Amino acid sequence: MLEVKDIKLVRDGRAILNCLSAQFEKGKVYAVLGNNGVGKSTLSYVLMGLESHRDYDGSIVLDGVRINDLSVPERAKKGITLGWQEPARFTGLTVKEYLTLGGKIRLSSEELLEVLAVVGLNGDYLDRFVDDTLSGGERKRIELASIMIVDPHVVILDEPDSGIDIMSMEMIENVLEKLKDKGTTVIIITHREEIARMADEAYLLCGGRMLASGEPEEIVQFYRKLCDKCQHINEPVRGDIST
């Protein structure tokens, strides 16, 4: 289990995350739903341990062990992986090299083709480079394939549909099912109702706090009826950041 306890992260007098708490159990898919600017990506960076987001209060606990002091590589060794909203480019690195970490992960050609098929790509991509010759959607698919290969303990997917057309929702759902089958805990950061509905459980995030949790459809309806009509500026107010 991954537990987030009373996380507070302040920037320029604003609590971007404000006493945020949540629990994520093994082998379940969770959606963290919210509008832009409410702290969703910040939460993903805090969970991954980015150096720029280590100055927070509260605790992050993985399987009963506090991991606040662990760096990104150390958290990766614990099995935590982040799928970026904007996938990285690697000049001179082929897709095959990227997926196998330069040959450190030994996979047969059949296994590579199988994982590419899950994300809707064919074997022709193995010799292509992970750079600007690929579209953002293609790089996103390749990143999802790499996540399935490394078999993480916990994966945080920041806007997994970014750059991917609406017809590819089935592909994302297939990836989630593959990860669940391996016992991976999946945390989806999203503002899309259809993505949130793919989860087993959902949280609603606003102003750096988890406002509600429950069945995805229940949270989606709450989000649709209240958040879309809310005049909140999606930024925590200045002043008493303890409340």
Side-chain angles (χ1 to χ4, degrees):
M1 177 184 290
L2 179 67
E3 297 180 83
V4 181
K5 300 180 178 180
D6 298 322
I7 295 294
K8 181 185 290 185
L9 187 143
V10 178
R11 290 284 187 273
D12 299 324
R14 295 182 178 183
I16 307 302
L17 299 180
N18 193 358
C19 299
L20 185 151
S21 296
Q23 293 185 346
F24 307 100
E25 296 180 6
K26 177 180 173 63
K28 285 189 175 182
V29 176
Y30 293 84
V32 177
L33 180 65
N35 287 332
N36 293 330
V38 300
K40 301 192 306 298
S41 290
T42 298
L43 173 61
S44 69
Y45 301 155
V46 166
L47 291 176
M48 194 65 236
L50 269 64
E51 190 65 34
S52 58
H53 289 70
R54 297 279 295 277
D55 55 333
Y56 57 87
D57 296 321
S59 297
I60 299 174
V61 179
L62 179 65
D63 295 335
V65 179
R66 192 172 184 268
I67 63 171
N68 286 45
D69 296 331
L70 298 187
S71 65
V72 170
E74 289 170 331
R75 294 190 194 199
K77 289 180 180 178
K78 293 284 187 181
I80 301 177
T81 296
L82 172 62
W84 300 88
Q85 182 174 349
E86 173 61 28
R89 302 165 177 82
F90 298 96
T91 301
L93 190 69
T94 67
V95 170
K96 183 176 181 179
E97 290 168 337
Y98 174 69
L99 293 179
T100 62
L101 298 180
K104 293 180 181 178
I105 298 177
R106 298 192 177 278
L107 293 173
S108 67
S109 297
E110 290 76 14
E111 289 171 321
L112 282 171
L113 292 175
E114 181 179 342
V115 75
L116 283 177
V118 174
V119 298
L121 300 177
N122 59 43
D124 293 341
Y125 280 85
L126 291 174
D127 294 324
R128 295 185 63 179
F129 292 99
V130 189
D131 56 20
D132 286 330
T133 62
L134 297 177
S135 69
E138 288 170 327
R139 284 184 285 110
K140 175 70 78 171
R141 290 169 185 266
I142 290 166
E143 181 184 57
L144 290 172
S146 72
I147 288 170
M148 288 191 293
I149 286 172
V150 299
D151 196 15
H153 185 54
V154 176
V155 60
I156 307 129
L157 299 178
D158 192 0
E159 303 287 358
D161 60 314
S162 177
I164 296 177
D165 61 66
I166 192 69
M167 300 300 291
S168 301
M169 292 298 177
E170 184 178 355
M171 178 274 293
I172 295 174
E173 196 162 14
N174 288 339
V175 170
L176 296 177
E177 287 299 323
K178 294 284 186 183
L179 291 169
K180 277 184 62 175
D181 289 345
K182 294 183 177 182
T184 299
T185 301
V186 183
I187 303 168
I188 309 171
I189 306 295
T190 188
H191 68 281
R192 296 279 295 273
E193 295 176 10
E194 50 267 63
I195 295 292
R197 288 190 175 97
M198 296 179 185
D200 299 309
E201 298 182 26
Y203 285 97
L204 181 65
L205 180 63
C206 184
R209 294 183 182 218
M210 295 300 195
L211 295 187
S213 63
E215 294 290 327
E217 188 59 36
E218 175 187 0
I219 299 303
V220 163
Q221 292 304 321
F222 189 90
Y223 174 72
R224 176 181 292 178
K225 292 177 181 178
L226 297 180
C227 295
D228 283 353
K229 300 176 182 178
C230 182
Q231 298 302 310
H232 194 280
I233 61 174
N234 293 327
E235 294 182 359
V237 295
R238 292 184 181 275
D240 184 4
I241 59 177
S242 66
T243 60

